[in-house]
Amino acid sequence: MKFKVNSYHFKLLRDYERLSAFKEAIEDYAIRNDANSNGSNSKVAFDLGCGSGVLSYFASEYMDRIIAIELNNSTYQLAKENLKEFDKIQVFNDDILGFDFSKLNEKADLIICEMLDTALIDEEEVPVLNRARKFLNENGEIIPKGMINSVEAVFMNNHFIQYEDDEYSPVYVSLGESVVYSEFDFMNDIDCNFSAEIELKIYGNEELDDIGFEVNLNEERYEKFNFKENFNIEEDKLKINGIKVTSFTKMNDNIICGPTPMLNPAMLVPIEETEVRCGDTLRLRLEYVMGGGVETIRTEILEIIHKD
Ligand SMILES: C[S@@+](CC[C@H](N)C(=O)[O-])C[C@H]1O[C@@H](n2cnc3c(N)ncnc32)[C@H](O)[C@@H]1O
């Protein structure tokens, strides 16, 4: 099957890991629910934010009817063209946040919604699912099923929000282990306003030795940013100026997909530059609005707890 796409959707289709995670999760749903597309166990799917239509195409093998909705008009035109041979797929050009699901006169057995973004901040996955979930049949399922978010302290080259995506590799050093700070199940109604107090442990001397921290700083890419000037391990002085947020997508109970270039690439967020010592713990408040965009991200250092 050939898809007509624009450059953004081309990149989404080229991300093989992202596509295979969704394909596998749809197949897994079909096997568990005996969905077979021969009408004996009739099933309806909604593909929300259908883009090029690729996920509707995957689902068409198993589902009897698919409602695909896309906001962007030129993308909708591409999806309509790509899916024109599939009578069972109906494509709408609409904003899901205003879409009248009741006019469909049927609910979904499966909702597929790839409007994901790191920590669910910059795309409308959460508000869209909060609306669409009411139109999911009892025993219905959502792909993906949820998300797990983790964060770690870093020192980064630029003091603005950066993604580790397929176009850009921000330069940073990790200064502590990643901790899970939130987990969402998309079957539940989710408050879009997120706020958490997080404790970030800074590596101790031994841990820095174990990861070869000082040796790694000799790499050329770090020299360009004078990273070494900010660290004096002998005097027990480190600096942090950011956090790295990593999201893991729970496709279903069995499949968890880590960041890929086009599926929730890790995000670096600047925080107030602060001197710390090896083994310290940083208490940080992190707030944002899911679906509200990265401009809603707020961070505040609440306390630095010294190791002794
Ligand atoms: C990350 S892309 C995924 C596209 C496709 N499902 C795929 O997996 O390749 C998200 C799509 O959702 C669409 N979208 C974003 N907000 C939307 C909304 N409120 N209503 C309908 N579509 C929306 C975007 O235009 C975009 O095409």
Side-chain angles (χ1 to χ4, degrees), residues 76-299:
Y76 155 79
Q77 299 294 347
L78 292 169
K80 222 171 149 42
E81 173 68 19
N82 291 333
L83 301 169
K84 67 177 181 220
E85 305 293 331
F86 297 82
D87 293 342
K88 62 168 78 170
I89 306 175
Q90 196 175 357
V91 190
F92 289 90
N93 180 202
D94 217 327
D95 182 346
I96 297 155
L97 293 174
F99 186 76
D100 178 12
F101 284 95
S102 59
K103 76 179 175 194
L104 299 172
N105 294 322
E106 58 189 343
K107 289 187 172 183
D109 299 291
L110 174 65
I111 291 179
I112 304 165
C113 185
E114 205 289 58
M115 293 176 54
L116 297 164
D117 188 65
T118 315
L120 304 165
I121 301 173
D122 213 32
E123 288 211 46
E124 291 170 330
E125 182 88 9
V126 172
V128 157
L129 286 179
N130 280 346
R131 185 179 168 85
R133 200 180 292 110
K134 299 174 189 81
F135 301 91
L136 183 65
N137 277 325
E138 215 182 311
N139 301 324
E141 294 187 24
I142 300 176
I143 295 176
K145 191 180 189 326
M147 185 176 271
I148 301 165
N149 298 307
S150 71
V151 66
E152 67 201 70
V154 300
F155 191 87
M156 61 202 233
N157 60 335
N158 290 322
H159 216 58
F160 50 77
I161 290 173
Q162 308 164 76
Y163 287 94
E164 231 175 5
D165 57 22
D166 67 344
E167 284 175 353
Y168 189 60
S169 303
V171 180
Y172 64 94
V173 284
S174 284
L175 288 159
E177 272 181 24
S178 196
V179 291
V180 170
Y181 72 90
S182 71
E183 182 163 353
F184 295 104
D185 181 339
F186 291 155
M187 291 299 282
N188 300 327
D189 199 52
I190 297 170
D191 182 353
C192 293
N193 297 306
F194 179 80
S195 176
E197 285 185 19
I198 306 165
E199 290 201 349
L200 296 175
K201 182 133 175 1
I202 307 301
Y203 286 133
N205 295 73
E206 278 180 18
E207 289 158 308
L208 288 173
D209 278 350
D210 287 349
I211 60 168
F213 184 79
E214 283 186 295
V215 180
N216 293 345
L217 285 182
N218 290 325
E219 285 176 24
E220 217 180 304
R221 64 196 175 121
Y222 293 131
E223 270 168 28
K224 194 173 151 207
F225 293 102
N226 295 326
F227 268 37
K228 278 170 134 181
E229 286 176 9
N230 293 292
F231 305 110
N232 189 333
I233 311 256
E234 265 162 42
E235 288 184 20
D236 200 9
K237 278 188 185 158
L238 299 172
K239 260 189 205 166
I240 56 167
N241 68 0
I243 52 172
K244 175 180 168 185
V245 178
T246 307
S247 295
F248 300 88
T249 311
K250 281 182 80 171
M251 303 304 300
N252 60 26
D253 284 332
N254 304 316
I255 308 168
I256 295 186
C257 186
T260 76
M262 294 303 288
L263 184 69
N264 313 322
M267 176 173 61
L268 296 165
V269 179
I271 64 170
E272 188 188 335
E273 188 167 298
T274 309
E275 272 202 18
V276 288
R277 291 191 232 141
C278 295
D280 282 354
T281 299
L282 184 85
R283 243 171 25 87
L284 177 90
R285 180 178 294 121
L286 174 63
E287 292 182 343
Y288 45 78
V289 179
M290 289 183 276
V294 291
E295 54 281 5
T296 64
I297 301 175
R298 300 275 178 277
T299 61

Side-chain angles (χ1 to χ4, degrees), residues 1 3 12-13 15-32 53-63 110 112-114 143-144 249 251-252 255 257 263:
M1 168 94 181
F3 279 84
L12 285 172
L13 292 192
D15 188 338
Y16 180 78
E17 257 184 289
R18 182 190 84 93
L19 276 194
S20 6
F22 275 91
K23 189 164 193 302
E24 223 179 292
I26 292 168
E27 279 167 9
D28 187 82
Y29 167 86
I31 293 164
R32 283 184 292 103
V54 64
L55 304 182
S56 290
Y57 167 65
F58 289 160
S60 67
E61 200 176 322
Y62 312 104
M63 309 302 284
L110 174 65
I112 304 165
C113 185
E114 205 289 58
I143 295 176
T249 311
M251 303 304 300
N252 60 26
I255 308 168
C257 186
L263 184 69

